[in-house]
Amino acid sequence: MASLSNTGQINGRSLTLQFPKLPASNRRSCRIGFRVFAATDAKSEPDLSVKVNGLEMPNPFVIGSGPPGTNYTVMKRAFDEGWGAVIAKTVSLDAAKVVNVTPRYARLRAESNGSAKGQIIGWENIELISDRPLETMLKEFKQLKEEYPDRILIASIMEEYNKAAWEELIERVEETGVDAFEINFSCPHGMPERKMGAAVGQDCALLEEVCGWINAKATIPVWAKMTPNVTDITQPARVALKSGCEGVSAINTIMSVMGIDLKTLRPEPCVEGYSTPGGYSSKAVHPIALAKVMNIAQMMKSEFNMDEYSLSGIGGVETGGDAAEFILLGANTVQVCTGVMMHGYGVVKKLCEELKDFMRKHNFSSIEDFRGYTLQYFTTHTDLVQRQQEAIRQRKAIKKGLASDKDWTGDGFVKETESMVSN
């Protein structure tokens, strides 16, 4: 894609501004801003700021949609603690349809069944979307944007299979001044009979149609949140991007049964003696999430202009190193939800410092310096076999040494001798 560029100085730093040159007929041009590339000294403090779909964030750490973004008070706390952005808990038009139960969480520990001492490695929830009236949430969105005009607030939305309902929800939420939408195409439990959540994200034909409705109405960036509960996550991600979404988020929780209490023989979490499958998150899902994000990033790199689209990595982030892994696989931002529920909003400071430590170690000055770097090292199993066979041939050739007596030389006599020693 052609682009226009300009350079200048801001606070003594050299900046290059790149403006995507898009056709006037392309509606995406009204939803994407320019990118800023800063030329920094390798010895300067690592810069964690990111600019994604025109959204400027002080760091790539985003509160994932869920309990940490459930009301004004907690979202304000997130901004005050320094999170790069906040994605509110998913809202819909009629909160009266949403009825939660308690208990609705269950934890998996790295010990025997029923142990209360082991480290938490898995977390299951059977929680539904926001049960607060939409009018209340809209009022709080507006208040947050008035108090934090320079911070990024993203509304997570979900509706039934109804074009008019989607259009009404989008219009009403946009009026509050939120900066972007994340569309919940991935909630693994609750109300699938109404074609909500993963019921849409698992059906590419349905997903394409609903994305079309959404992107025809929305005037701010749209991210599609992907479900991992599919065979090939690149298929719905591709559909979402081709249908007008500026980005994708992955992954939402994995459908699971946390476990069985071997004393009572009841499933967990247990509500009046019964349970239902729910969404699995926390540290144990991190490797699965990395694989899904890698798959999406490879698809985006080969089929789309990565500078125009964004990828938000989600799954088991509790350290700066966890976040670095997602970024190395192509993620622009990294979302944290369960981690906040376990460690609190202040964990963002630890995440930022650990990510900076990683960047200092490798002399990276910005997120873009290493975003997607590790993608080049993934290949097919057939290629791995060929690479290893070639490496073995080369090692054997080195050990073999001289082929005949005529190859001996005076200058290299000692090394030539060593090349033929077996131990």
Side-chain angles (χ1 to χ4, degrees):
M1 175 178 290
S3 65
L4 302 177
S5 64
N6 197 6
T7 59
Q9 293 278 330
I10 295 180
N11 295 329
R13 297 173 67 196
S14 175
L15 296 178
T16 299
L17 309 181
Q18 290 192 349
F19 301 82
K21 186 176 181 181
L22 301 174
S25 61
N26 192 334
R27 67 181 302 277
R28 293 177 54 79
S29 62
C30 69
R31 302 202 316 209
I32 303 178
F34 60 80
R35 301 181 65 202
V36 179
F37 299 85
T40 59
D41 191 309
K43 296 180 180 179
S44 65
E45 183 74 359
D47 181 8
L48 296 185
S49 66
V50 295
K51 187 164 185 136
V52 184
N53 306 131
L55 309 176
E56 297 180 355
M57 304 178 193
N59 59 67
F61 294 107
V62 178
I63 291 286
S65 181
T70 197
N71 60 41
Y72 165 83
T73 302
V74 298
M75 289 187 280
K76 173 180 170 61
R77 176 65 181 274
F79 282 140
D80 290 340
E81 290 287 351
W83 288 85
V86 172
I87 302 178
K89 192 171 184 180
T90 305
V91 297
S92 62
L93 289 176
D94 187 2
K97 298 177 182 178
V98 182
V99 181
N100 278 300
V101 294
T102 300
R104 51 182 175 268
Y105 306 135
R107 298 175 293 194
L108 178 67
R109 296 181 182 271
E111 294 290 344
S112 60
N113 184 282
S115 171
K117 298 180 180 180
Q119 178 188 15
I120 297 172
I121 60 173
W123 187 286
E124 184 195 13
N125 82 87
I126 56 172
E127 186 163 289
L128 302 180
I129 63 175
S130 178
D131 57 10
R132 304 177 73 221
L134 178 62
E135 292 73 16
T136 300
M137 293 293 284
L138 296 181
K139 179 180 178 181
E140 294 182 358
F141 290 168
K142 186 175 181 180
Q143 184 177 358
L144 281 165
K145 284 307 299 178
E146 289 174 349
E147 295 179 8
Y148 298 88
D150 60 339
R151 304 303 292 274
I152 302 303
L153 177 61
I154 300 173
S156 175
I157 61 175
M158 183 168 75
E159 253 310 321
E160 298 185 24
Y161 179 62
N162 182 302
K163 181 180 180 181
W166 275 107
E167 291 177 338
E168 180 185 348
L169 182 59
I170 289 168
E171 182 174 354
R172 294 179 65 183
V173 175
E174 274 202 19
E175 288 175 349
T176 67
V178 297
D179 300 282
F181 287 116
E182 182 179 78
I183 314 300
N184 189 337
F185 290 132
S186 48
C187 182
H189 54 272
M191 300 183 285
E193 69 281 359
R194 296 174 183 165
K195 295 185 179 180
M196 300 177 78
V200 179
Q202 293 170 330
D203 185 330
C204 285
L206 198 59
L207 178 66
E208 182 177 19
E209 183 178 17
V210 176
C211 279
W213 299 342
I214 294 168
N215 287 297
K217 182 68 175 179
T219 63
I220 56 178
V222 174
W223 297 357
K225 190 171 185 179
M226 299 286 98
T227 173
N229 302 301
V230 292
T231 302
D232 180 2
I233 199 169
T234 66
Q235 293 183 3
R238 179 185 295 108
V239 167
L241 294 174
K242 285 187 174 182
S243 299
C245 295
E246 278 79 14
V248 294
S249 305
I251 58 175
N252 205 326
T253 52
I254 301 169
M255 183 66 83
S256 66
V257 171
M258 179 56 75
I260 311 299
D261 186 320
L262 296 183
K263 295 178 180 178
T264 67
L265 310 186
R266 304 285 181 146
E268 298 289 347
C270 193
V271 180
E272 310 303 334
Y274 293 82
S275 191
T276 188
Y280 191 46
S281 61
S282 194
K283 188 185 299 291
V285 310
H286 186 65
I288 299 170
L290 289 176
K292 300 292 186 180
V293 166
M294 180 271 291
N295 291 151
I296 294 173
Q298 286 184 324
M299 179 275 293
M300 292 175 66
K301 185 177 181 180
S302 64
E303 301 179 25
F304 297 87
N305 184 338
M306 289 285 280
D307 290 339
E308 291 183 36
Y309 299 88
S310 65
L311 177 56
S312 191
I314 317 167
V317 173
E318 295 184 33
T319 70
D322 295 334
E325 290 179 297
F326 275 121
I327 297 169
L328 285 164
L329 292 179
N332 303 82
T333 59
V334 180
Q335 296 186 31
V336 187
C337 183
T338 306
V340 178
M341 297 171 71
M342 294 193 299
H343 305 297
Y345 293 90
V347 73
V348 69
K349 295 179 176 62
K350 169 179 172 288
L351 295 174
C352 285
E353 283 308 309
E354 290 175 345
L355 183 56
K356 284 184 179 180
D357 287 343
F358 161 80
M359 294 171 68
R360 292 187 191 100
K361 180 179 179 180
H362 294 279
N363 292 321
F364 295 135
S365 61
S366 71
I367 297 297
E368 285 299 315
D369 282 351
F370 65 100
R371 187 170 69 84
Y373 178 82
T374 304
L375 287 175
Q376 64 186 306
Y377 298 114
F378 286 93
T379 185
T380 64
H381 190 273
T382 298
D383 184 59
L384 290 179
V385 171
Q386 294 173 347
R387 287 173 180 273
Q388 187 156 75
Q389 289 176 341
E390 177 60 28
I392 291 172
R393 282 194 293 268
Q394 291 179 5
R395 287 194 290 269
K396 285 183 176 179
I398 293 173
K399 289 182 178 181
K400 183 178 180 180
L402 304 179
S404 67
D405 285 352
K406 68 180 177 61
D407 295 326
W408 288 94
T409 66
D411 293 335
F413 185 79
V414 174
K415 289 185 177 179
E416 291 160 0
T417 301
E418 288 292 329
S419 74
M420 292 182 284
V421 176
S422 63
N423 55 7

